[in-house]
Amino acid sequence: MNETTQHGLQTNTTPAVSVDKMLAAELEKLSLEEREKVYEDVHGVSDVIQETPELIANCLEQMDREIGLITSKDAYAQAKLQSSNNMINQKFRLAFLRSTSFNPKLAALHLVEYFRCKLETLGTEQLVKNQIAVEDLGAAATRVLELGSVQVLPNRDSKGRAVVVLSPSVLEPVMDAYDDPIPTMARAIWYSLSTLCEDEETQKMGVVGVLNMSGLTERHEEYHRELLWRFTAIGQVFPLRVACLHCCDISSSSLTSALLSIMATAASPTLRVRTRIHSGSYHECLYKLLTFGIPVEEFPFTADGDVQLTNHAKWMGKRRKKEAYLRKYPPIEGAVDLPSNNDVLWGRGNQIYRHPGNRLLRELVENNNGEYNRLWKDGKTKLAHRIVAAVHGFSGRFLKLDKESGVWVEVTDSEAREKVAHRFRRNRELALRTGCNKHSNIKPIISRSSSEIDGDRKRPRMMFIGS
C-alpha cells in the first residue's frame, strides 16, 4: 500500500518483495518477441529507427490528436497557455516520439506526464522554460548538484548510449542539513537528467542508468525511500529512452534490498524488465558493468565509497559556460554536448587519448602510414582527405571544444585534414626517433622511385628493409 510521508510524497510501504522474483514475474508476462526486444535494448544491439520526413510528420500529427483525447492534462494546458516562446514545438515533441520508439499514443501520455511532474518538482515559474539553468535551481539545489550524487559520464558506453550514475549515499550530509531536503534533491536530479535531453544523439541512442547502492545508512532510511521513489518517477517522464538500469548492490544488506524493492515497484513495467541487479564486491560489480559495455574507467566512485568529482567538476564548468553563452547569443548550430564514439576530439590528456573516435583515427593512420611516407605533398593531401572521409563514413565528426560556450563544435574539412596530417607526421617522428618501424625489425634507408600513386610521383622516400 502507499502512504504519504511527512514530506508530502506517496511512497510504498508494502513489505519488500524479492526484486529478482519481481523482475522474473514481469518477464514471464512478455511474449518471446518482446523478450528479445528487451534483450536487444539491454545489450545495445537493437536497431536505431531510421527517421524519414514522412515518418516524423505522420507521427507528430497522430501525437497531437492523441494529446487532444487526454482529458486530465492541467499542467500541459497551463504550459501551453503560458508559453510565449513556442516551447512545445516540433523539436520538443519529436524528443518524446524518439523516447517511445515513435509510438504517438505513448508519446502523448509521456508529454502530458512530463509537465505534471515538472510543475510538481520545479513550480510554475520554471514550467515553460525550455532549458533549466543552474542559476534557476537556487543555492541549496546547486550545492546538492555539485556534490556529484548524479553524474553524467564523459564517455558513452560501447553502444553509443549516454551513461548516468546515481549514488544516494553522497546526499546523506545534505539530509541532515535541511529540514525538507527531498524537494531540493529532486530539483538537482531534474536538472541533471534534463541536460541529457538537449543532445539529439542521446535522444536517438538512449541512456543507461547505474544505481550505486553502497554506503547507505539505516539512519536515513526514510529519506532514501522517498528519494529513490522520486528519482524513479522523475526519470521516467523525461523524453529519454532508458535502455537499461543497472543496480549495484555492493553491501547486500536488508536496507538495500528494501530500497531496490521500492524502486522496482515505482518503475513502469517497461523499465522493470530492463533492470539488472548486480551483487558482490565493488570490483565484481564493475566487472559486470564492463560486460555490458559501460566505461568503468570513468566510474566516479571508489572501492572505499568516496566520490570522484574531477569529471563532474569539468561537466559543471561546461554547463555554466553553455548557459552563460545562451543568455547572450543564440544556440550554435550543430553544437554537441556529449560526443559520439566515432567522433574525433581535439585536446590533450588521457580522456581524449582513450576516446573511441581518437583510437579509430590512430588505427586508420597506422594502417596507411607506409603509403603516406612514400608520397609527395599533393599525394599526402589526398590521402589525408581519404582518412577524413573514412571517419565521416563511420558517421564520425572532427570536434573541438568551444571555450566560450562549453560545447563541442565541428571543425572545417581543412582543419580535420591538418589533424590527420599531424598524426602522420607524429608517427614518422616516432619511427625516426626509434630508428625502426613499429611492426618489424628494420632499418630506414633513403631511396628514390618514379612510381605513381593517385597520379602523384612518390617523393624520395623512406624504404624499410629487414636487417
Side-chain angles (χ1 to χ4, degrees), residues 180-203:
D180 192 12
I182 298 300
T184 299
M185 296 175 187
R187 292 170 71 85
I189 291 171
W190 185 282
Y191 175 84
S192 298
L193 297 180
S194 70
T195 63
L196 292 169
C197 303
E198 299 171 13
D199 188 80
E200 185 175 311
E201 180 84 5
T202 300
Q203 292 178 16

Side-chain angles (χ1 to χ4, degrees), residues 166-284:
L166 171 72
S167 185
S169 64
V170 174
L171 295 175
E172 290 199 352
V174 182
M175 293 175 181
D176 293 328
Y178 301 108
D179 293 332
D180 192 12
I182 298 300
T184 299
M185 296 175 187
R187 292 170 71 85
I189 291 171
W190 185 282
Y191 175 84
S192 298
L193 297 180
S194 70
T195 63
L196 292 169
C197 303
E198 299 171 13
D199 188 80
E200 185 175 311
E201 180 84 5
T202 300
Q203 292 178 16
K204 293 178 178 179
M205 301 302 296
V207 300
V208 172
V210 179
L211 180 59
N212 174 24
M213 300 295 288
S214 64
L216 304 178
T217 63
E218 293 186 1
R219 186 165 68 90
H220 298 98
E221 180 177 354
E222 181 190 343
Y223 286 124
H224 286 308
R225 285 174 177 267
E226 294 185 46
L227 181 63
L228 279 179
W229 186 274
R230 180 68 72 95
F231 173 75
T232 307
I234 289 176
Q236 293 176 108
V237 303
F238 276 98
L240 293 169
R241 184 173 58 83
V242 182
C244 186
L245 176 61
H246 298 277
C247 301
C248 297
D249 184 12
I250 296 173
S251 61
S252 299
S253 66
S254 58
L255 173 60
T256 57
S257 297
L259 293 175
L260 286 173
S261 178
I262 288 172
M263 185 215 67
T265 304
S268 67
T270 301
L271 178 59
R272 207 174 293 146
V273 296
R274 288 167 174 79
T275 299
R276 297 294 180 268
I277 310 295
H278 308 302
S279 300
S281 69
Y282 171 84
H283 293 290
E284 287 172 334

Side-chain angles (χ1 to χ4, degrees), residues 418-455:
E418 177 55 34
K419 183 171 182 67
V420 171
H422 174 77
R423 185 71 249 176
F424 274 118
R425 291 194 298 270
R426 177 63 176 160
N427 278 11
R428 184 165 180 267
E429 288 170 5
L430 290 174
L432 289 171
R433 190 178 303 165
T434 57
C436 65
N437 184 279
K438 184 176 180 179
H439 298 293
S440 58
N441 183 23
I442 50 183
K443 295 178 181 178
I445 62 170
I446 295 293
S447 163
R448 188 174 287 273
S449 170
S450 59
S451 300
E452 301 288 321
I453 291 183
D454 290 337

Side-chain angles (χ1 to χ4, degrees), residues 30 98 117 131 134 171 253 268 289 319 344 352 355 391 420:
L30 302 180
R98 286 171 175 151
C117 192
Q131 295 175 331
V134 173
L171 295 175
S253 66
S268 67
L289 293 176
R319 292 301 309 175
V344 176
I352 297 293
H355 185 75
V391 172
V420 171

Side-chain angles (χ1 to χ4, degrees), residues 5 21 111 135 187 239 242 414 419:
T5 70
K21 289 182 180 179
L111 177 64
E135 67 174 14
R187 292 170 71 85
V242 182
S414 175
K419 183 171 182 67

